[in-house]
Amino acid sequence: MPILEWNDDYSVGVSIIDTEHKQLVGMINKAYDSVKNMEEEKVLKILVKDMCDYAVSHFSTEERFMEKYGYPAHEEHEKMHHDFTVKAEALDLLIKSGNPVEPVKVFKYLADWLRNHILKTDKDLGRFLNEKGVE
Ligand SMILES: [Fe+2]
Ligand SMILES: [Fe+2]
């Protein structure tokens, strides 16, 4: 049973962004599993790869919207995306070079991202886009 289920409180009001955010919820659940699972190393390796892919695909979705509609906080928002990308790549590098990564730290990082980025920064963007007629 997943530790976290998607619910409408997480919605930013733009369907393509919500769809992609569901992937992040899935990653939080995988990270939680990796804290408990006997195969944690294997799970974690795939998870960190997923984080890197997510950073490329999802952030570009939001950044295209910000660019297209002239979002005033574009720069600050993009900086946070950059920080996530750097974090994911650093974890990937650590794992590839055989260094131990604590699954609980990855879990906490992703849970914090949901709380601090999706539920605040992305919701602000969602409200702005809704005003522009994007849903
Ligand atoms: Fe997002
Ligand atoms: Fe974002």
Side-chain angles (χ1 to χ4, degrees), residues 19-54:
T19 300
E20 293 178 1
H21 283 168
K22 286 175 188 166
Q23 295 170 16
L24 196 277
V25 169
M27 284 190 262
I28 291 175
N29 286 318
K30 275 190 199 159
Y32 183 75
D33 287 348
S34 77
V35 174
K36 308 187 120 187
N37 204 309
M38 293 296 286
E39 287 183 304
E40 62 184 36
E41 204 175 303
K42 198 175 135 205
V43 173
L44 203 63
K45 197 172 176 183
I46 297 166
L47 174 64
V48 168
K49 171 83 171 62
D50 286 348
M51 286 171 68
C52 291
D53 292 345
Y54 174 84

PDB file of all heavy atoms in Angstrom, residues 19-54:
ATOM      1  N   THR A  19      -0.846  15.760 -14.117  1.00  0.00           N
ATOM      2  CA  THR A  19      -0.488  14.415 -14.592  1.00  0.00           C
ATOM      3  C   THR A  19       0.984  14.135 -14.310  1.00  0.00           C
ATOM      4  O   THR A  19       1.348  13.059 -13.821  1.00  0.00           O
ATOM      5  CB  THR A  19      -0.760  14.302 -16.115  1.00  0.00           C
ATOM      6  OG1 THR A  19      -2.145  14.540 -16.327  1.00  0.00           O
ATOM      7  CG2 THR A  19      -0.388  12.940 -16.655  1.00  0.00           C
ATOM      8  N   GLU A  20       1.820  15.113 -14.589  1.00  0.00           N
ATOM      9  CA  GLU A  20       3.261  14.912 -14.367  1.00  0.00           C
ATOM     10  C   GLU A  20       3.589  14.898 -12.867  1.00  0.00           C
ATOM     11  O   GLU A  20       4.499  14.192 -12.438  1.00  0.00           O
ATOM     12  CB  GLU A  20       4.055  15.984 -15.126  1.00  0.00           C
ATOM     13  CG  GLU A  20       3.912  15.780 -16.633  1.00  0.00           C
ATOM     14  CD  GLU A  20       4.627  16.819 -17.489  1.00  0.00           C
ATOM     15  OE1 GLU A  20       5.272  17.732 -16.937  1.00  0.00           O
ATOM     16  OE2 GLU A  20       4.527  16.702 -18.711  1.00  0.00           O
ATOM     17  N   HIS A  21       2.852  15.673 -12.090  1.00  0.00           N
ATOM     18  CA  HIS A  21       3.086  15.658 -10.636  1.00  0.00           C
ATOM     19  C   HIS A  21       2.729  14.308 -10.011  1.00  0.00           C
ATOM     20  O   HIS A  21       3.291  13.927  -8.979  1.00  0.00           O
ATOM     21  CB  HIS A  21       2.288  16.780  -9.953  1.00  0.00           C
ATOM     22  CG  HIS A  21       2.908  18.129 -10.125  1.00  0.00           C
ATOM     23  ND1 HIS A  21       2.263  19.295  -9.816  1.00  0.00           N
ATOM     24  CD2 HIS A  21       4.152  18.486 -10.563  1.00  0.00           C
ATOM     25  CE1 HIS A  21       3.072  20.317 -10.076  1.00  0.00           C
ATOM     26  NE2 HIS A  21       4.212  19.853 -10.538  1.00  0.00           N
ATOM     27  N   LYS A  22       1.819  13.598 -10.654  1.00  0.00           N
ATOM     28  CA  LYS A  22       1.487  12.258 -10.145  1.00  0.00           C
ATOM     29  C   LYS A  22       2.706  11.334 -10.212  1.00  0.00           C
ATOM     30  O   LYS A  22       2.860  10.431  -9.398  1.00  0.00           O
ATOM     31  CB  LYS A  22       0.310  11.661 -10.926  1.00  0.00           C
ATOM     32  CG  LYS A  22      -1.006  12.320 -10.531  1.00  0.00           C
ATOM     33  CD  LYS A  22      -2.183  11.845 -11.363  1.00  0.00           C
ATOM     34  CE  LYS A  22      -3.403  12.703 -11.032  1.00  0.00           C
ATOM     35  NZ  LYS A  22      -4.495  12.564 -11.987  1.00  0.00           N
ATOM     36  N   GLN A  23       3.569  11.589 -11.196  1.00  0.00           N
ATOM     37  CA  GLN A  23       4.822  10.808 -11.274  1.00  0.00           C
ATOM     38  C   GLN A  23       5.694  11.068 -10.041  1.00  0.00           C
ATOM     39  O   GLN A  23       6.369  10.169  -9.541  1.00  0.00           O
ATOM     40  CB  GLN A  23       5.629  11.197 -12.514  1.00  0.00           C
ATOM     41  CG  GLN A  23       4.954  10.861 -13.824  1.00  0.00           C
ATOM     42  CD  GLN A  23       5.687  11.491 -15.015  1.00  0.00           C
ATOM     43  OE1 GLN A  23       6.827  11.929 -14.907  1.00  0.00           O
ATOM     44  NE2 GLN A  23       5.025  11.531 -16.154  1.00  0.00           N
ATOM     45  N   LEU A  24       5.667  12.315  -9.576  1.00  0.00           N
ATOM     46  CA  LEU A  24       6.474  12.657  -8.389  1.00  0.00           C
ATOM     47  C   LEU A  24       5.921  11.951  -7.147  1.00  0.00           C
ATOM     48  O   LEU A  24       6.683  11.430  -6.334  1.00  0.00           O
ATOM     49  CB  LEU A  24       6.481  14.188  -8.224  1.00  0.00           C
ATOM     50  CG  LEU A  24       7.498  14.902  -7.330  1.00  0.00           C
ATOM     51  CD1 LEU A  24       7.088  14.916  -5.867  1.00  0.00           C
ATOM     52  CD2 LEU A  24       8.926  14.387  -7.466  1.00  0.00           C
ATOM     53  N   VAL A  25       4.594  11.883  -7.065  1.00  0.00           N
ATOM     54  CA  VAL A  25       3.975  11.149  -5.957  1.00  0.00           C
ATOM     55  C   VAL A  25       4.394   9.673  -6.030  1.00  0.00           C
ATOM     56  O   VAL A  25       4.724   9.051  -5.012  1.00  0.00           O
ATOM     57  CB  VAL A  25       2.433  11.314  -5.972  1.00  0.00           C
ATOM     58  CG1 VAL A  25       1.764  10.359  -5.002  1.00  0.00           C
ATOM     59  CG2 VAL A  25       2.052  12.760  -5.628  1.00  0.00           C
ATOM     60  N   GLY A  26       4.424   9.142  -7.249  1.00  0.00           N
ATOM     61  CA  GLY A  26       4.888   7.760  -7.436  1.00  0.00           C
ATOM     62  C   GLY A  26       6.325   7.585  -6.971  1.00  0.00           C
ATOM     63  O   GLY A  26       6.679   6.567  -6.367  1.00  0.00           O
ATOM     64  N   MET A  27       7.152   8.581  -7.227  1.00  0.00           N
ATOM     65  CA  MET A  27       8.562   8.503  -6.797  1.00  0.00           C
ATOM     66  C   MET A  27       8.684   8.549  -5.281  1.00  0.00           C
ATOM     67  O   MET A  27       9.540   7.879  -4.699  1.00  0.00           O
ATOM     68  CB  MET A  27       9.362   9.641  -7.443  1.00  0.00           C
ATOM     69  CG  MET A  27       9.670   9.388  -8.898  1.00  0.00           C
ATOM     70  SD  MET A  27      10.846  10.603  -9.535  1.00  0.00           S
ATOM     71  CE  MET A  27       9.750  11.736 -10.314  1.00  0.00           C
ATOM     72  N   ILE A  28       7.834   9.346  -4.644  1.00  0.00           N
ATOM     73  CA  ILE A  28       7.853   9.396  -3.174  1.00  0.00           C
ATOM     74  C   ILE A  28       7.514   8.009  -2.622  1.00  0.00           C
ATOM     75  O   ILE A  28       8.167   7.524  -1.686  1.00  0.00           O
ATOM     76  CB  ILE A  28       6.861  10.464  -2.643  1.00  0.00           C
ATOM     77  CG1 ILE A  28       7.372  11.859  -2.999  1.00  0.00           C
ATOM     78  CG2 ILE A  28       6.671  10.328  -1.133  1.00  0.00           C
ATOM     79  CD1 ILE A  28       6.428  12.995  -2.636  1.00  0.00           C
ATOM     80  N   ASN A  29       6.544   7.364  -3.219  1.00  0.00           N
ATOM     81  CA  ASN A  29       6.177   6.015  -2.773  1.00  0.00           C
ATOM     82  C   ASN A  29       7.310   5.017  -3.011  1.00  0.00           C
ATOM     83  O   ASN A  29       7.571   4.153  -2.172  1.00  0.00           O
ATOM     84  CB  ASN A  29       4.883   5.563  -3.457  1.00  0.00           C
ATOM     85  CG  ASN A  29       3.678   6.283  -2.883  1.00  0.00           C
ATOM     86  OD1 ASN A  29       3.563   6.468  -1.675  1.00  0.00           O
ATOM     87  ND2 ASN A  29       2.768   6.709  -3.742  1.00  0.00           N
ATOM     88  N   LYS A  30       7.971   5.151  -4.150  1.00  0.00           N
ATOM     89  CA  LYS A  30       9.107   4.255  -4.422  1.00  0.00           C
ATOM     90  C   LYS A  30      10.236   4.497  -3.422  1.00  0.00           C
ATOM     91  O   LYS A  30      10.903   3.569  -2.973  1.00  0.00           O
ATOM     92  CB  LYS A  30       9.633   4.473  -5.835  1.00  0.00           C
ATOM     93  CG  LYS A  30       8.875   3.680  -6.871  1.00  0.00           C
ATOM     94  CD  LYS A  30       9.623   3.755  -8.205  1.00  0.00           C
ATOM     95  CE  LYS A  30       8.700   3.398  -9.351  1.00  0.00           C
ATOM     96  NZ  LYS A  30       9.179   3.895 -10.638  1.00  0.00           N
ATOM     97  N   ALA A  31      10.455   5.777  -3.115  1.00  0.00           N
ATOM     98  CA  ALA A  31      11.514   6.110  -2.156  1.00  0.00           C
ATOM     99  C   ALA A  31      11.169   5.535  -0.786  1.00  0.00           C
ATOM    100  O   ALA A  31      12.035   4.999  -0.082  1.00  0.00           O
ATOM    101  CB  ALA A  31      11.693   7.629  -2.068  1.00  0.00           C
ATOM    102  N   TYR A  32       9.907   5.621  -0.428  1.00  0.00           N
ATOM    103  CA  TYR A  32       9.470   5.060   0.857  1.00  0.00           C
ATOM    104  C   TYR A  32       9.694   3.547   0.871  1.00  0.00           C
ATOM    105  O   TYR A  32      10.201   3.000   1.846  1.00  0.00           O
ATOM    106  CB  TYR A  32       7.995   5.395   1.099  1.00  0.00           C
ATOM    107  CG  TYR A  32       7.501   4.912   2.433  1.00  0.00           C
ATOM    108  CD1 TYR A  32       7.858   5.579   3.605  1.00  0.00           C
ATOM    109  CD2 TYR A  32       6.696   3.777   2.533  1.00  0.00           C
ATOM    110  CE1 TYR A  32       7.425   5.124   4.841  1.00  0.00           C
ATOM    111  CE2 TYR A  32       6.257   3.320   3.763  1.00  0.00           C
ATOM    112  CZ  TYR A  32       6.623   3.996   4.916  1.00  0.00           C
ATOM    113  OH  TYR A  32       6.200   3.543   6.142  1.00  0.00           O
ATOM    114  N   ASP A  33       9.334   2.906  -0.242  1.00  0.00           N
ATOM    115  CA  ASP A  33       9.568   1.460  -0.354  1.00  0.00           C
ATOM    116  C   ASP A  33      11.051   1.138  -0.207  1.00  0.00           C
ATOM    117  O   ASP A  33      11.413   0.147   0.418  1.00  0.00           O
ATOM    118  CB  ASP A  33       9.108   0.935  -1.725  1.00  0.00           C
ATOM    119  CG  ASP A  33       7.599   0.881  -1.830  1.00  0.00           C
ATOM    120  OD1 ASP A  33       6.920   1.016  -0.790  1.00  0.00           O
ATOM    121  OD2 ASP A  33       7.103   0.719  -2.957  1.00  0.00           O
ATOM    122  N   SER A  34      11.865   1.973  -0.810  1.00  0.00           N
ATOM    123  CA  SER A  34      13.301   1.680  -0.790  1.00  0.00           C
ATOM    124  C   SER A  34      13.878   1.819   0.616  1.00  0.00           C
ATOM    125  O   SER A  34      14.901   1.225   0.937  1.00  0.00           O
ATOM    126  CB  SER A  34      14.066   2.557  -1.783  1.00  0.00           C
ATOM    127  OG  SER A  34      14.223   3.861  -1.280  1.00  0.00           O
ATOM    128  N   VAL A  35      13.194   2.579   1.461  1.00  0.00           N
ATOM    129  CA  VAL A  35      13.632   2.679   2.858  1.00  0.00           C
ATOM    130  C   VAL A  35      13.390   1.330   3.543  1.00  0.00           C
ATOM    131  O   VAL A  35      14.179   0.877   4.372  1.00  0.00           O
ATOM    132  CB  VAL A  35      12.873   3.807   3.604  1.00  0.00           C
ATOM    133  CG1 VAL A  35      13.216   3.814   5.082  1.00  0.00           C
ATOM    134  CG2 VAL A  35      13.175   5.171   2.984  1.00  0.00           C
ATOM    135  N   LYS A  36      12.320   0.641   3.159  1.00  0.00           N
ATOM    136  CA  LYS A  36      11.940  -0.608   3.825  1.00  0.00           C
ATOM    137  C   LYS A  36      12.387  -1.862   3.087  1.00  0.00           C
ATOM    138  O   LYS A  36      12.602  -2.904   3.690  1.00  0.00           O
ATOM    139  CB  LYS A  36      10.402  -0.658   3.950  1.00  0.00           C
ATOM    140  CG  LYS A  36       9.810   0.571   4.586  1.00  0.00           C
ATOM    141  CD  LYS A  36       8.343   0.381   4.830  1.00  0.00           C
ATOM    142  CE  LYS A  36       8.108   0.523   6.321  1.00  0.00           C
ATOM    143  NZ  LYS A  36       6.747   0.189   6.712  1.00  0.00           N
ATOM    144  N   ASN A  37      12.512  -1.723   1.737  1.00  0.00           N
ATOM    145  CA  ASN A  37      12.693  -2.894   0.889  1.00  0.00           C
ATOM    146  C   ASN A  37      14.078  -3.513   0.993  1.00  0.00           C
ATOM    147  O   ASN A  37      15.071  -2.814   1.097  1.00  0.00           O
ATOM    148  CB  ASN A  37      12.464  -2.423  -0.563  1.00  0.00           C
ATOM    149  CG  ASN A  37      12.064  -3.546  -1.458  1.00  0.00           C
ATOM    150  OD1 ASN A  37      12.727  -4.582  -1.494  1.00  0.00           O
ATOM    151  ND2 ASN A  37      10.989  -3.353  -2.176  1.00  0.00           N
ATOM    152  N   MET A  38      14.130  -4.839   0.889  1.00  0.00           N
ATOM    153  CA  MET A  38      15.422  -5.542   0.924  1.00  0.00           C
ATOM    154  C   MET A  38      16.275  -5.193  -0.296  1.00  0.00           C
ATOM    155  O   MET A  38      17.484  -5.230  -0.239  1.00  0.00           O
ATOM    156  CB  MET A  38      15.193  -7.060   0.954  1.00  0.00           C
ATOM    157  CG  MET A  38      14.540  -7.573   2.215  1.00  0.00           C
ATOM    158  SD  MET A  38      15.556  -7.322   3.682  1.00  0.00           S
ATOM    159  CE  MET A  38      16.798  -8.601   3.427  1.00  0.00           C
ATOM    160  N   GLU A  39      15.596  -4.853  -1.420  1.00  0.00           N
ATOM    161  CA  GLU A  39      16.323  -4.533  -2.653  1.00  0.00           C
ATOM    162  C   GLU A  39      16.577  -3.033  -2.758  1.00  0.00           C
ATOM    163  O   GLU A  39      16.585  -2.482  -3.848  1.00  0.00           O
ATOM    164  CB  GLU A  39      15.500  -4.952  -3.866  1.00  0.00           C
ATOM    165  CG  GLU A  39      15.444  -6.439  -4.087  1.00  0.00           C
ATOM    166  CD  GLU A  39      14.674  -6.756  -5.356  1.00  0.00           C
ATOM    167  OE1 GLU A  39      13.528  -6.328  -5.475  1.00  0.00           O
ATOM    168  OE2 GLU A  39      15.260  -7.409  -6.215  1.00  0.00           O
ATOM    169  N   GLU A  40      16.746  -2.389  -1.644  1.00  0.00           N
ATOM    170  CA  GLU A  40      16.748  -0.929  -1.666  1.00  0.00           C
ATOM    171  C   GLU A  40      17.765  -0.323  -2.659  1.00  0.00           C
ATOM    172  O   GLU A  40      17.482   0.668  -3.291  1.00  0.00           O
ATOM    173  CB  GLU A  40      16.969  -0.345  -0.279  1.00  0.00           C
ATOM    174  CG  GLU A  40      18.293  -0.687   0.350  1.00  0.00           C
ATOM    175  CD  GLU A  40      18.362  -0.129   1.770  1.00  0.00           C
ATOM    176  OE1 GLU A  40      17.348  -0.128   2.449  1.00  0.00           O
ATOM    177  OE2 GLU A  40      19.467   0.296   2.148  1.00  0.00           O
ATOM    178  N   GLU A  41      18.910  -0.972  -2.792  1.00  0.00           N
ATOM    179  CA  GLU A  41      19.935  -0.391  -3.656  1.00  0.00           C
ATOM    180  C   GLU A  41      19.474  -0.331  -5.114  1.00  0.00           C
ATOM    181  O   GLU A  41      19.625   0.681  -5.788  1.00  0.00           O
ATOM    182  CB  GLU A  41      21.203  -1.233  -3.552  1.00  0.00           C
ATOM    183  CG  GLU A  41      22.453  -0.447  -3.913  1.00  0.00           C
ATOM    184  CD  GLU A  41      23.696  -1.281  -3.683  1.00  0.00           C
ATOM    185  OE1 GLU A  41      23.893  -1.752  -2.540  1.00  0.00           O
ATOM    186  OE2 GLU A  41      24.437  -1.476  -4.646  1.00  0.00           O
ATOM    187  N   LYS A  42      18.872  -1.443  -5.557  1.00  0.00           N
ATOM    188  CA  LYS A  42      18.376  -1.522  -6.932  1.00  0.00           C
ATOM    189  C   LYS A  42      17.224  -0.520  -7.144  1.00  0.00           C
ATOM    190  O   LYS A  42      17.189   0.192  -8.141  1.00  0.00           O
ATOM    191  CB  LYS A  42      17.884  -2.953  -7.193  1.00  0.00           C
ATOM    192  CG  LYS A  42      17.739  -3.295  -8.640  1.00  0.00           C
ATOM    193  CD  LYS A  42      17.358  -4.775  -8.768  1.00  0.00           C
ATOM    194  CE  LYS A  42      16.240  -4.923  -9.768  1.00  0.00           C
ATOM    195  NZ  LYS A  42      15.442  -6.123  -9.536  1.00  0.00           N
ATOM    196  N   VAL A  43      16.320  -0.492  -6.188  1.00  0.00           N
ATOM    197  CA  VAL A  43      15.172   0.408  -6.276  1.00  0.00           C
ATOM    198  C   VAL A  43      15.650   1.858  -6.337  1.00  0.00           C
ATOM    199  O   VAL A  43      15.182   2.668  -7.116  1.00  0.00           O
ATOM    200  CB  VAL A  43      14.204   0.213  -5.071  1.00  0.00           C
ATOM    201  CG1 VAL A  43      13.104   1.267  -5.068  1.00  0.00           C
ATOM    202  CG2 VAL A  43      13.595  -1.180  -5.101  1.00  0.00           C
ATOM    203  N   LEU A  44      16.611   2.158  -5.499  1.00  0.00           N
ATOM    204  CA  LEU A  44      17.123   3.526  -5.406  1.00  0.00           C
ATOM    205  C   LEU A  44      17.800   3.964  -6.703  1.00  0.00           C
ATOM    206  O   LEU A  44      17.648   5.114  -7.132  1.00  0.00           O
ATOM    207  CB  LEU A  44      18.103   3.615  -4.239  1.00  0.00           C
ATOM    208  CG  LEU A  44      18.295   5.013  -3.670  1.00  0.00           C
ATOM    209  CD1 LEU A  44      17.000   5.544  -3.095  1.00  0.00           C
ATOM    210  CD2 LEU A  44      19.377   5.001  -2.601  1.00  0.00           C
ATOM    211  N   LYS A  45      18.508   3.041  -7.317  1.00  0.00           N
ATOM    212  CA  LYS A  45      19.202   3.354  -8.570  1.00  0.00           C
ATOM    213  C   LYS A  45      18.191   3.748  -9.650  1.00  0.00           C
ATOM    214  O   LYS A  45      18.373   4.742 -10.351  1.00  0.00           O
ATOM    215  CB  LYS A  45      19.991   2.113  -9.004  1.00  0.00           C
ATOM    216  CG  LYS A  45      21.054   2.390 -10.014  1.00  0.00           C
ATOM    217  CD  LYS A  45      21.888   1.148 -10.228  1.00  0.00           C
ATOM    218  CE  LYS A  45      22.900   1.376 -11.315  1.00  0.00           C
ATOM    219  NZ  LYS A  45      23.688   0.180 -11.607  1.00  0.00           N
ATOM    220  N   ILE A  46      17.125   2.973  -9.757  1.00  0.00           N
ATOM    221  CA  ILE A  46      16.077   3.269 -10.749  1.00  0.00           C
ATOM    222  C   ILE A  46      15.369   4.574 -10.393  1.00  0.00           C
ATOM    223  O   ILE A  46      15.090   5.406 -11.248  1.00  0.00           O
ATOM    224  CB  ILE A  46      15.066   2.092 -10.829  1.00  0.00           C
ATOM    225  CG1 ILE A  46      15.764   0.837 -11.321  1.00  0.00           C
ATOM    226  CG2 ILE A  46      13.888   2.447 -11.736  1.00  0.00           C
ATOM    227  CD1 ILE A  46      14.978  -0.444 -11.118  1.00  0.00           C
ATOM    228  N   LEU A  47      15.121   4.731  -9.122  1.00  0.00           N
ATOM    229  CA  LEU A  47      14.421   5.933  -8.659  1.00  0.00           C
ATOM    230  C   LEU A  47      15.196   7.209  -9.001  1.00  0.00           C
ATOM    231  O   LEU A  47      14.622   8.192  -9.486  1.00  0.00           O
ATOM    232  CB  LEU A  47      14.201   5.842  -7.144  1.00  0.00           C
ATOM    233  CG  LEU A  47      13.610   7.083  -6.481  1.00  0.00           C
ATOM    234  CD1 LEU A  47      12.205   7.347  -6.986  1.00  0.00           C
ATOM    235  CD2 LEU A  47      13.595   6.908  -4.971  1.00  0.00           C
ATOM    236  N   VAL A  48      16.484   7.197  -8.744  1.00  0.00           N
ATOM    237  CA  VAL A  48      17.294   8.390  -9.006  1.00  0.00           C
ATOM    238  C   VAL A  48      17.356   8.667 -10.515  1.00  0.00           C
ATOM    239  O   VAL A  48      17.310   9.814 -10.949  1.00  0.00           O
ATOM    240  CB  VAL A  48      18.701   8.249  -8.367  1.00  0.00           C
ATOM    241  CG1 VAL A  48      19.634   9.329  -8.865  1.00  0.00           C
ATOM    242  CG2 VAL A  48      18.575   8.305  -6.847  1.00  0.00           C
ATOM    243  N   LYS A  49      17.393   7.611 -11.289  1.00  0.00           N
ATOM    244  CA  LYS A  49      17.316   7.777 -12.755  1.00  0.00           C
ATOM    245  C   LYS A  49      15.971   8.423 -13.121  1.00  0.00           C
ATOM    246  O   LYS A  49      15.911   9.331 -13.957  1.00  0.00           O
ATOM    247  CB  LYS A  49      17.489   6.395 -13.402  1.00  0.00           C
ATOM    248  CG  LYS A  49      17.225   6.321 -14.883  1.00  0.00           C
ATOM    249  CD  LYS A  49      18.449   6.746 -15.679  1.00  0.00           C
ATOM    250  CE  LYS A  49      18.296   6.483 -17.169  1.00  0.00           C
ATOM    251  NZ  LYS A  49      17.205   7.203 -17.816  1.00  0.00           N
ATOM    252  N   ASP A  50      14.898   7.956 -12.482  1.00  0.00           N
ATOM    253  CA  ASP A  50      13.570   8.549 -12.728  1.00  0.00           C
ATOM    254  C   ASP A  50      13.551  10.032 -12.355  1.00  0.00           C
ATOM    255  O   ASP A  50      12.913  10.839 -13.029  1.00  0.00           O
ATOM    256  CB  ASP A  50      12.479   7.829 -11.902  1.00  0.00           C
ATOM    257  CG  ASP A  50      12.151   6.461 -12.456  1.00  0.00           C
ATOM    258  OD1 ASP A  50      12.579   6.155 -13.586  1.00  0.00           O
ATOM    259  OD2 ASP A  50      11.479   5.683 -11.748  1.00  0.00           O
ATOM    260  N   MET A  51      14.225  10.375 -11.274  1.00  0.00           N
ATOM    261  CA  MET A  51      14.291  11.790 -10.857  1.00  0.00           C
ATOM    262  C   MET A  51      14.974  12.638 -11.925  1.00  0.00           C
ATOM    263  O   MET A  51      14.546  13.753 -12.225  1.00  0.00           O
ATOM    264  CB  MET A  51      15.051  11.942  -9.527  1.00  0.00           C
ATOM    265  CG  MET A  51      14.270  11.494  -8.304  1.00  0.00           C
ATOM    266  SD  MET A  51      15.304  11.465  -6.802  1.00  0.00           S
ATOM    267  CE  MET A  51      15.621  13.200  -6.520  1.00  0.00           C
ATOM    268  N   CYS A  52      16.043  12.103 -12.510  1.00  0.00           N
ATOM    269  CA  CYS A  52      16.771  12.845 -13.557  1.00  0.00           C
ATOM    270  C   CYS A  52      15.876  13.023 -14.784  1.00  0.00           C
ATOM    271  O   CYS A  52      15.812  14.111 -15.364  1.00  0.00           O
ATOM    272  CB  CYS A  52      18.046  12.103 -13.955  1.00  0.00           C
ATOM    273  SG  CYS A  52      19.298  12.091 -12.662  1.00  0.00           S
ATOM    274  N   ASP A  53      15.173  11.953 -15.172  1.00  0.00           N
ATOM    275  CA  ASP A  53      14.274  12.033 -16.337  1.00  0.00           C
ATOM    276  C   ASP A  53      13.121  13.006 -16.079  1.00  0.00           C
ATOM    277  O   ASP A  53      12.730  13.772 -16.957  1.00  0.00           O
ATOM    278  CB  ASP A  53      13.690  10.640 -16.669  1.00  0.00           C
ATOM    279  CG  ASP A  53      14.756   9.692 -17.180  1.00  0.00           C
ATOM    280  OD1 ASP A  53      15.857  10.167 -17.536  1.00  0.00           O
ATOM    281  OD2 ASP A  53      14.499   8.479 -17.202  1.00  0.00           O
ATOM    282  N   TYR A  54      12.600  12.943 -14.882  1.00  0.00           N
ATOM    283  CA  TYR A  54      11.497  13.824 -14.489  1.00  0.00           C
ATOM    284  C   TYR A  54      11.930  15.284 -14.571  1.00  0.00           C
ATOM    285  O   TYR A  54      11.188  16.145 -15.042  1.00  0.00           O
ATOM    286  CB  TYR A  54      11.069  13.461 -13.069  1.00  0.00           C
ATOM    287  CG  TYR A  54      10.017  14.355 -12.437  1.00  0.00           C
ATOM    288  CD1 TYR A  54       8.662  14.146 -12.673  1.00  0.00           C
ATOM    289  CD2 TYR A  54      10.377  15.388 -11.563  1.00  0.00           C
ATOM    290  CE1 TYR A  54       7.693  14.950 -12.070  1.00  0.00           C
ATOM    291  CE2 TYR A  54       9.425  16.193 -10.965  1.00  0.00           C
ATOM    292  CZ  TYR A  54       8.079  15.975 -11.217  1.00  0.00           C
ATOM    293  OH  TYR A  54       7.130  16.771 -10.616  1.00  0.00           O
TER     294      TYR A  54
END
